[in-house]
Amino acid sequence: MFDKILVANRGEVAVRVIRACRDMGVRTVAVYSPADAEALHVRLADEAYCIGGSRLAESYLNEDAVLTCAVKSGAKAIHPGYGFFSENAGFVRECEKCGLAFIGPSADVISRMGDKDAARRTAKAAGVPVVPGCDLLTSPEEAEREARRIGCPVLIKARSGGGGRGIRKVERVEAAARAFVEAHTEAETVFGDGECYMEKFVSPAHHVEVQIMADKQGNVYSLGERECSVQRRNQKLIEESPAPCLEGRDDVRERMHRAARDLARAVGYEGAGTIEFLYTDDGNFYFMEMNTRLQVEHPVTEFVTDVDLVKWQLRVAAGQPLPFTSEDVPVRNHAMECRINAETPDFLPSCGTVTMLHVPGGPRVRFDSALFPGASVPPYYDSMLAKVIVCSPTRDGAVRKMRSALGELVIEGVQENSDLQLRILGNEEFLSGNYHTNLMEHIYAEQ
Ligand code: ADP
Ligand code: ADP
Ligand code: MG
């Protein structure tokens, strides 16, 4: 096992990784920006270094600064968390050059799966059904032609998009050319890569994703699935496992898990990863993308499988084989996560200093965050403040426990979205267990 690792991230995920390391007796190095000088990840790590300005490009996305810090501090490996460098093949190659292990798959796997367009082709070649669509678009005329062929509505998607951004819906063929030009320009600005492709807009559909773990010995396992159909602007709000939409559909579940394992095996995957599908009620599912990293909602899977995904990421990277006895790791109970975002009721970002904090507790209630009274929520970074995760023998029990946990949560000093979460938890369609990615539109249309 590595004796020291550098955590190249901030916020709740940096704290999550540092906690796993402390449990394992691995020393940790934190990096931070001036805006995060008092942050929890800085306080919990054994060592911490300020590596540049508060803007992302100056610090957390400053490759030279992160690598120099890792080498100088004597760290043996880098954990990228999610976002930031986690799906950056170039960064992984640089780690190799510096003699640092990257806790995640190889650069080659990331370049084949981290980019959505390449991933579609890899999935097709592995015999996994993909959303009907096309390869990279090269001109507005081609966008119009493809929209006609695929059939509107379609989505134009940035191959480097993420976090629900870089997706544009096209309702009519005549609007496709212009939408392509706008999407291209926007993707160039936001992701530094304008390349876009087109997919059929599949609706009503469920977002169901399979958690994968693979080791260097070539063993690939699936660890249950998560349903993440509660989304606002393609960004997840609530995730749960098992997927309610697969209740009574063990045949589909089995096929979906097998497709995910086959795909991971086909690319020589290593570590934790997630394969995302769109599932329609007629029993079909389509590959959407692979996230070659730890997922925000990983605690949901940790509750139902009793596997610590972060610890196993480290062990796999250090060469240990996974200990599972079945390629389909069994799942027990029902877990649910609500993302708590710093935002106003109108979804504008909210920042400031946390003046008061009360965290929910009790058996099988988990609160993952980097908050503490006095913590500052700077304007430069992601708006996710915390995750509340609960587990219960049944889905109804998990919903009740989540309501009670959110009812207990108090965060003062910044605005957050727990009222919206409670509203979703009271919605009939959500409670029925048969809800689709358009659930939030229905909820907003209610009043
Ligand atoms: P998950 O699939 O784990 O739920 P999300 O899609 O919500 O992950 O993204 C995880 C985090 O990483 C979010 O904080 C998001 O803002 C960020 N992120 C993911 N991909 C990108 C990207 N291509 N560009 C910028 N940020 C990204
Ligand atoms: P990101 O990297 O931002 O997570 P995804 O490709 O996973 O991008 O898409 C994010 C969300 O957008 C999905 O969870 C789904 O709700 C919606 N979406 C993406 N592609 C389609 C599609 N072809 N049809 C319908 N909805 C889609
Ligand atoms: Mg996704």
Side-chain angles (χ1 to χ4, degrees), residues 148-395:
R148 187 168 290 117
R149 182 183 67 81
I150 297 164
C152 282
V154 294
L155 298 179
I156 297 181
K157 297 173 72 171
R159 73 164 170 198
S160 297
R165 285 166 300 165
I167 299 177
R168 185 178 292 245
K169 191 167 168 190
V170 180
E171 303 275 4
R172 297 174 304 114
V173 171
E174 302 74 50
R178 183 167 174 176
F180 167 73
V181 174
E182 287 168 3
H184 197 281
T185 312
E186 188 181 292
E188 184 71 54
T189 316
V190 181
F191 309 111
D193 173 13
E195 297 297 332
C196 294
Y197 63 103
M198 194 181 278
E199 271 179 12
K200 175 97 190 150
F201 177 66
V202 183
S203 183
H206 305 269
H207 173 122
V208 182
E209 55 184 37
V210 178
Q211 177 68 51
I212 291 289
M213 282 249 35
D215 58 27
K216 289 185 189 293
Q217 289 71 19
N219 302 301
V220 177
Y221 302 92
S222 53
L223 292 91
E225 76 285 334
R226 297 179 288 257
E227 175 154 9
C228 315
S229 304
V230 183
Q231 301 185 354
R232 179 179 168 271
R233 299 205 172 159
N234 305 318
Q235 173 75 322
K236 298 160 187 167
L237 279 172
I238 298 181
E239 303 96 342
E240 52 182 323
S241 182
C245 65
L246 295 185
E247 163 108 49
R249 299 302 308 263
D250 284 346
D251 54 325
V252 177
R253 177 176 278 130
E254 223 163 272
R255 276 194 288 127
M256 191 184 282
H257 282 229
R258 186 170 312 118
R261 290 191 302 265
D262 287 349
L263 186 49
R265 216 172 269 123
V267 295
Y269 201 80
E270 261 176 43
T274 296
I275 299 185
E276 298 188 338
F277 296 100
L278 280 174
Y279 168 65
T280 48
D281 291 318
D282 57 8
N284 288 311
F285 59 84
Y286 308 92
F287 170 83
M288 196 162 42
E289 67 157 341
M290 176 163 197
N291 292 320
T292 57
R293 55 170 166 85
L294 186 72
Q295 200 97 348
V296 172
E297 55 273 24
H298 74 277
V300 166
T301 299
E302 297 189 319
F303 258 141
V304 294
T305 57
D306 206 21
V307 172
D308 188 314
L309 291 171
V310 176
K311 286 185 184 172
W312 279 104
Q313 280 189 300
L314 263 72
R315 294 184 187 120
V316 162
Q320 285 187 40
L322 288 163
F324 312 128
T325 49
S326 151
E327 61 178 359
D328 198 353
V329 175
V331 160
R332 286 183 58 215
N333 302 317
H334 195 97
M336 190 174 281
E337 170 180 281
C338 284
R339 296 191 188 193
I340 305 301
N341 296 326
E343 60 195 20
T344 68
D346 302 325
F347 307 108
L348 296 171
S350 172
C351 52
T353 300
V354 175
T355 49
M356 148 94 190
L357 176 70
H358 172 76
V359 167
R364 297 203 254 189
V365 175
R366 176 169 161 182
F367 188 76
D368 276 21
S369 88
L371 294 180
F372 56 88
S376 109
V377 179
Y380 308 99
Y381 312 115
D382 198 78
S383 64
M384 199 180 71
L385 279 181
K387 307 182 301 201
V388 180
I389 314 101
V390 302
C391 186
S392 167
T394 62
R395 181 171 193 260

